[in-house]
């Protein structure tokens, strides 16, 4: 039976790691966010106001294609960040910060709302959260050059938008994982707990670990 798991959360919170874990632990096909393919991203980090709209529109179009591919995929799939986050968190933050004009925002929202009618929501949303201190440490340690100079105020704004969005999210079951001290990669107790909580929400479809 076809099922989809979406992993949501702020930058640096550990989404890709969880997608990789699901792919290794279960018969799950991973889909990753195409950050490195965005030709506007370097310009955006250098000049947010000048390139926010172009960058966000590119992300939206590519995430739409990713959701379409996910919808065609049989079995269980796991997605690293959803199209909902692109619009409700990142683009919204830039509009609030006046990096996107009202005219461009209305164009963007019109495109986004049309997309929502053309895709299916995930069957399970796993929301990862952690403290701002942990978030900044992880961003620094993973070493993506373009992220190193992201202002703390921007990360905090994203965090507030995430908390508001997840509080109102109702399209599927939601599993919230606090990741500050969670180490399901190396700690067996943590790993079994995460597996138990996921399997409780998608028991028939996610199946048993291979082997």
């Amino acid at each position: 039976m076809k099922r989809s798991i979406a992993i949501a959360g702020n930058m640096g919170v550990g989404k890709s790691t969880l997608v990789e874990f699901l792919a290794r632990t279960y018969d799950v096909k991973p889909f990753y966010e195409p950050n490195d393919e965005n030709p506007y991203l370097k310009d955006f980090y250098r000049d947010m106001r000048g390139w926010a709209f172009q960058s966000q529109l590119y992300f939206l179009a590519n995430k739409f294609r990713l959701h379409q591919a996910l919808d065609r995929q049989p079995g269980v799939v796991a997605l690293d960040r959803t199209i909902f986050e692109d619009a409700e968190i990142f683009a919204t933050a830039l509009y609030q910060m006046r990096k996107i004009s009202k005219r461009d925002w209305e164009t963007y929202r019109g495109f986004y709302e049309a997309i929502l009618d053309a895709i299916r929501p995930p069957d399970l949303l796993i929301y990862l959260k952690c403290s701002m201190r942990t978030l900044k440490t992880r961003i620094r340690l993973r070493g993506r050059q373009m992220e190193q100079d992201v202002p703390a105020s921007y990360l905090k704004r994203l965090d507030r938008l995430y908390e508001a969005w997840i509080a109102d999210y109702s399209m599927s079951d939601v599993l919230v994982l606090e990741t500050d001290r969670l180490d399901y990669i190396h700690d067996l107790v943590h790993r079994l707990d995460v597996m138990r909580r996921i399997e409780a929400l998608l028991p028939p479809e996610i199946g048993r670990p291979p082997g």
Side-chain angles (χ1 to χ4, degrees), residues 78-103:
L79 176 62
D80 174 2
R81 182 170 284 152
T82 66
I83 199 168
F84 317 120
E85 294 162 85
D86 283 0
E88 306 293 350
I89 312 300
F90 291 89
T92 296
L94 291 167
Y95 177 60
Q96 290 177 350
M97 296 161 64
R98 299 185 180 179
K99 307 299 184 184
I100 297 177
S101 71
K102 188 174 187 296
R103 180 178 62 178

Side-chain angles (χ1 to χ4, degrees), residues 181-198:
R181 296 178 180 83
L182 184 65
D183 185 7
Y184 53 85
I185 301 300
H186 302 102
D187 189 303
L188 178 61
V189 173
H190 288 192
R191 181 160 61 250
L192 291 175
D193 181 59
V194 168
M195 291 168 62
R196 176 187 59 78
R197 295 175 70 185
I198 292 172

Side-chain angles (χ1 to χ4, degrees), residues 59-210:
F59 274 132
L60 192 67
N62 271 265
K63 194 63 67 63
F64 181 30
R65 283 194 286 269
L66 192 61
H67 272 267
Q68 288 178 312
L70 185 149
D71 287 348
R72 293 191 296 268
Q73 184 72 30
V76 183
V77 297
L79 176 62
D80 174 2
R81 182 170 284 152
T82 66
I83 199 168
F84 317 120
E85 294 162 85
D86 283 0
E88 306 293 350
I89 312 300
F90 291 89
T92 296
L94 291 167
Y95 177 60
Q96 290 177 350
M97 296 161 64
R98 299 185 180 179
K99 307 299 184 184
I100 297 177
S101 71
K102 188 174 187 296
R103 180 178 62 178
D104 287 344
W105 177 245
E106 289 172 354
T107 298
Y108 179 93
R109 290 294 304 191
F111 185 26
Y112 171 61
E113 287 164 11
I115 288 172
L116 291 182
D117 290 333
I119 61 174
R120 61 187 293 269
D123 297 286
L124 172 63
L125 179 74
I126 303 178
Y127 174 56
L128 306 182
K129 59 184 295 185
C130 66
S131 67
M132 192 57 52
R133 181 176 181 178
T134 300
L135 207 63
K136 289 190 282 189
T137 299
R138 289 175 180 169
I139 289 172
R140 185 178 70 252
L141 290 176
R142 75 178 179 181
R144 291 180 185 171
Q145 187 58 45
M146 289 180 291
E147 295 177 350
Q148 299 308 304
D149 297 324
V150 172
S153 59
Y154 178 61
L155 285 176
K156 290 177 183 176
R157 183 185 294 270
L158 296 180
D159 200 55
R160 289 193 300 270
L161 285 168
Y162 262 112
E163 289 297 305
W165 171 68
I166 205 66
D168 290 336
Y169 179 87
S170 60
M171 288 184 283
S172 66
D173 286 329
V174 178
L175 171 60
V176 179
L177 296 178
E178 299 269 0
T179 69
D180 280 283
R181 296 178 180 83
L182 184 65
D183 185 7
Y184 53 85
I185 301 300
H186 302 102
D187 189 303
L188 178 61
V189 173
H190 288 192
R191 181 160 61 250
L192 291 175
D193 181 59
V194 168
M195 291 168 62
R196 176 187 59 78
R197 295 175 70 185
I198 292 172
E199 290 169 16
L201 293 169
L202 288 175
E205 292 80 12
I206 199 155
R208 300 186 178 201

